[in-house]
Amino acid sequence: MKPKNSGFKYTKVMDKVQVKDKTFRIFIESASIQKRVSEISAQIDAEYQGRKPLFIVVLNGAFMFAADLFKNLKIECEVTFVKLSSYSGTKSTEVVKELIGLNENISGRDVIIVEDIIDTGITMENMMEKFKQSNPSSLKICTMLFKPNAFRKNYKIDYIGMEIPNDFIIGYGLDYDGFARNLPDIYTLVQ
Ligand code: IMP
Ligand code: MG
């Protein structure tokens, strides 16, 4: 059966959006994001053949990237979620709060942490230290975005979608004070 046309068409990308007091302009279009996501999925498929990895998705920001990544994956795998918070407005607070913890036993598992963005690297370091204590057989990191000029740590990031400048961005899961996560494209702050 053919689905009914909902009337929704996403043809023209809006080049500017206003979120609360700030203006953002288009930075990365959905098509480029999707292309890169399918490349990462293919890479993970190839590297995790027969290993049944567990993906730990960091809420809220990574939900959209994780959904697209997951739809592309062909290997046998599982997904679970943790919820953290470190940002307030457009600045990292450096204090990472755990709002929803991990229920699964990850001992002996191949684990891949999925993030929307690695900025200073504090959030991810916190998580890795914590998960390592449960003795997974391997622990890798997969992030859609990475800000190399903001990164203050020196651990390896295994899968990176795109490297971006040290600017505040929204869309594709990323928010400004809770808003704009639903935008399919990524926007950058107009100073
Ligand atoms: P980090 O601990 O500084 O690496 O920050 C990581 C978290 O801060 C990410 O998981 C995001 O939720 C959030 N974050 C970092 N940069 C941005 C941004 O440009 N826009 C929106 N959220 C961001
Ligand atoms: Mg995040």
Side-chain angles (χ1 to χ4, degrees):
M1 209 173 75
K2 255 182 111 181
K4 268 193 183 160
N5 187 342
S6 66
F8 178 80
K9 274 190 196 154
Y10 195 82
T11 44
K12 189 177 172 290
V13 171
M14 286 178 293
D15 59 353
K16 282 216 175 104
V17 287
Q18 182 73 26
V19 183
K20 296 177 124 181
D21 58 326
K22 300 200 187 316
T23 308
F24 295 81
R25 65 176 162 75
I26 188 81
F27 180 51
I28 309 168
E29 289 191 20
S30 173
S32 319
I33 299 171
Q34 294 304 326
K35 182 170 175 287
R36 193 60 197 122
V37 173
S38 66
E39 286 168 1
I40 299 171
S41 299
Q43 201 184 338
I44 293 175
D45 271 341
E47 290 174 20
Y48 283 84
Q49 204 61 248
R51 289 169 62 192
K52 301 185 182 161
L54 171 67
F55 290 82
I56 302 178
V57 180
V58 186
L59 295 172
N60 291 329
F63 79 99
M64 203 174 278
F65 170 48
D68 286 339
L69 190 76
F70 230 65
K71 280 186 276 183
N72 280 289
L73 286 170
K74 293 181 182 63
I75 46 165
E76 269 186 274
C77 54
E78 289 183 83
V79 64
T80 190
F81 301 87
V82 292
K83 183 165 178 170
L84 304 171
S85 130
S86 70
Y87 252 57
S88 169
T90 62
K91 291 271 176 313
S92 181
T93 60
E94 301 198 8
V95 184
V96 183
K97 280 188 286 184
E98 187 181 86
L99 306 173
I100 300 175
L102 190 67
N103 295 319
E104 285 74 8
N105 177 12
I106 60 168
S107 159
R109 297 288 310 263
D110 287 308
V111 172
I112 304 171
I113 306 174
V114 183
E115 256 289 25
D116 49 357
I117 186 164
I118 296 179
D119 185 35
T120 62
I122 295 170
T123 310
M124 184 56 81
E125 183 171 68
N126 252 270
M127 254 183 309
M128 280 197 305
E129 292 313 314
K130 204 168 197 170
F131 293 157
K132 271 182 193 162
Q133 291 171 8
S134 306
N135 297 310
S137 66
S138 71
L139 185 62
K140 284 198 178 181
I141 304 170
C142 176
T143 185
M144 178 61 210
L145 300 158
F146 176 48
K147 294 180 181 171
N149 297 330
F151 194 54
R152 290 197 250 139
K153 305 289 173 181
N154 52 19
Y155 52 83
K156 183 180 170 224
I157 306 174
D158 306 279
Y159 305 100
I160 298 175
M162 297 177 193
E163 293 194 359
I164 59 166
N166 202 0
D167 301 318
F168 187 74
I169 54 153
I170 54 162
Y172 197 62
L174 291 137
D175 70 306
Y176 168 49
D177 267 356
F179 290 94
R181 294 193 196 275
N182 54 315
L183 299 170
D185 309 283
I186 293 172
Y187 292 76
T188 187
L189 182 65
V190 177
Q191 297 292 346

